[in-house]
Amino acid sequence: MGRNKFYLFLATACTAGYVWIFVNTVYRTNNFQLNTCIIKHVTDIPCPSCGTTRSMISILNGDFVSAMLWNPLGFVMAFLLIICPLLISYDLLYKKQFLLNTYLRVESYFKIKKVAIPMSLLIIGNWIWNIYKDL
């Protein structure tokens, strides 16, 4: 994927993320819940990322303990939704490739077995925790 397509994809993903959080923040009530997790819908088993939206809403409300209990991945997503638009803007403004180069370095880092295996185990552990909590 080229630089421009990569940045367009990230900008679209961030925009979708902001819209999703906005919709869930404004319209979430006891009677109305948006649930788009296909895995949860089909199998009735939560996926590793179930609870991330609720985690991010808790972060927005300043309730960091609740956010961690919903799903620690909410902190990762919140960080990415903040940093990606800033880095995209920086790269486009100054005609750099910092974000793309950083992404490629991180991607190659996660391909190392000493990193990939523990990270995979963390995701599996989070999945087991989501199942245990019956999200």
Side-chain angles (χ1 to χ4, degrees), residues 71-105:
N71 196 325
L73 293 176
F75 289 97
V76 175
M77 293 306 299
F79 174 77
L80 290 174
L81 283 174
I82 292 168
I83 199 72
C84 282
L86 295 173
L87 291 177
I88 290 169
S89 299
Y90 170 81
D91 282 357
L92 293 176
L93 186 63
Y94 293 103
K95 298 180 180 164
K96 303 281 185 180
Q97 290 194 150
F98 177 77
L99 181 57
L100 178 59
N101 292 336
T102 302
Y103 169 77
L104 293 172
R105 280 193 303 271

Side-chain angles (χ1 to χ4, degrees), residues 24-57:
N24 275 274
T25 302
V26 171
Y27 293 106
R28 184 172 290 269
T29 65
N30 292 337
N31 299 330
F32 178 79
Q33 262 187 342
L34 296 172
N35 186 358
T36 60
C37 182
I38 295 169
I39 294 172
K40 173 83 172 170
H41 183 71
V42 171
T43 66
D44 205 31
I45 298 171
C47 74
S49 66
C50 279
T52 302
T53 301
R54 290 171 278 190
S55 175
M56 290 181 63
I57 291 170

Side-chain angles (χ1 to χ4, degrees), residues 25 54-64:
T25 302
R54 290 171 278 190
S55 175
M56 290 181 63
I57 291 170
S58 294
I59 291 168
L60 287 173
N61 291 325
D63 190 355
F64 301 112

